[in-house]
Every structure is written in C-alpha cells, then in structure tokens.
Amino acid sequence: MTANRTIVEIHILQTMPPSNLNRDDTGSPKKAVYGGVTRARVSSQAWKRPTRLKFRELVDPNQLGIRTKRVVEVLTDRILRLDPAIDPETAQKAAQSVLQDAGGIKLAKPRSVKKTDDADDNVNEPDQSTYLLFLGSHQYDDLAAIGKEAIASGGIKDFLKNKDVKKRVKGILQNDRAIDVALFGRMVADDTDLNVDAAAQVAHAISVQRVDFDSDYFTAVDDVKQDSDEEGDAGAAMIGDVEFNSATFYRYANVDVDRLLDTLGDANATVQAVTAFIDAFSTTVPNGKINTFAHNTLPDLVVVNLRDTQAVNLAGAFERPIAGDVVANATKALVEREQEIDAGYGTTPVHTWVIRVGKDTEAADQLAARQPLRDVLTELGDAIASRLVQE
C-alpha cells in the first residue's frame, strides 16, 4: 500500500419511511439481490445529483460546473455579458464557432428543430452539443473572452481556425478547475483529452435488511362533479397505484484527496470541495416522488474516516440481512466490520469522526466520540489542509 495517501470516506445508515426514491423503467423502486435476499436499492447517480445540486448552496457558483447540451446558449449569454453592445446573432455565431471550429465539440440542431436551407433561419435556434457537456463556469468566461476577440477581428471563423487560437481554446477546455467536475468527473467519448477522472466514488445504496415492496392504490376525485352531481355519483376521475418501500440504507462514498488536488491544483479549493461533498452527501435525499411521500429524513449515523491506505467499503457488514432492532443491530454490525477489517488489513484510519442520533447508534462510540456535523466538517478540513501542506 502507498504511504501518505489522503482518502476521505463516509459511511451512512439512513432510515427512509415509505418512499419511492429511485424508480426503474416500470416505475417500481429499484432493488438488488444481496446475501441471497431482495434489498431496496438507490443508484449512485440518484444520490449524486442532489449532492451536486446542494453545492450551489455551499460553494460560490463560479467555482462549479454547468452540465448541459445547451452549450451554445450558455456561451452566447457569457459573450453578451462581456459586451451587451454585440448583436445577439453575431454572439451566437461566435459561440458556435468557438466550441465547434476551435474546440472540436460536436454540435447539432435540437431534435425538435427542423433544419432549413436558409442559414439565417437556423441562427435563431442555437445548436446543441450531441451529449451532455460538463464545463466549469470559469471556462465559459474564458471562452467568451475568445469569442469577443473573434467578433472584433472581423472574421469569426478565420480567427477561430487559427492554430494558436485553437490551442488556447483546447487548453481552456482541458484545464477544468470546477469543484464538481473534479469530484464527479467528465467523459467526452469524442475527445478523450477532455476527460476528467472523478475523484469521488459513490456506491449504490442498499437496504441493510430484507425488503418487501408494496403498492399504494389511489383515486382522484373530480371536485366539480362531486359538488354538482345530483345522482350522487362522486366516482373517481382517475385511479392508479404507486409502488413504494421503506428501509434502512447503508450508503457509502469516498474521495481521493490526492487526485482531487491534482485536478484542482489548489489546496484551499481541495479542502472546500471535500467538506462540501461530505456536507451535501450527508444532508440530501433523492426527490423521486417526494411530494407524495415527503421522505425528508437525515441519517441515523454518519461515520467519516480519513485514511492513508485505501478506501474500504463496509457493505459486507450487511451480507447477512439485519433483523430485529434494525438501526441498533446495523450499527453494531458496521462497527464490528470496520474494526475487524482494520485489524486484519492494517487499514486503521488516521482519524474517525461520528455523527449520530439516538440510543440505537451508541455502538458507534467505539469508533469515535459523537460530534455535530459542523464540528466534524471544520476538523476534517483542518486535518486535510495539514496533510496537503506536509506533502
């Protein structure tokens, strides 16, 4: 194992009431078979999205990325912000050329728009990238500055096809310092030079116990018909059903702090990224069917480990489904698994922090004394900063 690594991992036990957090293509809650029994499952993507959106409240938006196909529209807006006197159509042409001619980004008309033979007609409807593109806000600003230069040159396409200009644009696209892009990564199949390796890994959440799935039959009554029907026929105007389950989930994620620093190139930004990730991952839930179930819970238990060896997923604690007092027994199983793994493989964390609620999670005190989330984030940030300075 490599010494002096810095890896932060988070283990969560979280009880969800009846809910449908993450649906499959039939509308049913996702599931998995683990330890020979059916478990409730929430995909990593379903929890990463609310985590990433929470960053908008925790981090300066200028330090974040924008994931969209509407890249031309976003860049056009940035060019107009630099100089509102520029004609919007000219700004749009410059934006398209910056991305496509200089940047090599594949663009196409939106599917809903039929391309005409008249080029002027097509200008009003911006092209879109053929895939979701995750670019940092600062990158758009830098690209907008080049777009403004292209407009001022009097020949947009000729300016942007210049070898040196194309090199500048490529450099901007590759040198992404957005916090969420660095954490979650970026894949561009058409240009692997633009790929960013994710510093964070997020596991699919699975229930610690065997879970049965239920269905909620519902009706919707027509208010006007109910009030006016003389025959008293207040029959439903709509009927249906919603599948759901309830479970205590084991959630796990880790952040390779060294890889994150390599991408961001700044120790302070790296500390901010890690603490924001732990904060957001701990306090968000997927919003699938949330208006129906209002499943806004917070974790029963959060264990944060700072390791210098390797990341360790403790899902094996629940290979045998938990029964009885689920949270209490799951906490004991998690603590036992971590202690035995660390003893057997020499992976004992440099430091551990515990945030917990209620008596059922008391077993976690064997790992570390209970603290509030805010204090944990402060201490974690200080610990990471200290290690990065030493390196």
Side-chain angles (χ1 to χ4, degrees), residues 272-300:
Q272 185 180 28
V274 175
T275 55
F277 177 81
I278 298 300
D279 190 347
F281 190 67
S282 301
T283 58
T284 58
V285 293
N287 63 3
K289 292 287 184 181
I290 197 165
N291 290 340
T292 300
F293 294 104
H295 51 261
N296 298 286
T297 69
L298 287 168
D300 302 279

Side-chain angles (χ1 to χ4, degrees), residues 196-218:
V196 176
D197 290 334
Q201 298 176 337
V202 180
H204 288 229
I206 59 169
S207 64
V208 300
Q209 77 272 56
R210 179 181 188 140
V211 169
D212 294 320
F213 293 74
D214 295 301
S215 180
D216 177 33
Y217 173 81
F218 68 87

Side-chain angles (χ1 to χ4, degrees), residues 32-39 210 318-321:
V33 175
Y34 185 61
V37 300
T38 301
R39 314 293 184 105
R210 179 181 188 140
F318 312 110
E319 193 270 339
R320 291 182 179 177

Side-chain angles (χ1 to χ4, degrees), residues 102 158-169:
D158 289 339
F159 178 86
L160 291 169
K161 288 182 178 180
N162 176 274
K163 184 178 179 180
D164 291 336
V165 174
K166 291 176 72 172
K167 186 176 180 179
R168 285 172 60 196
V169 171

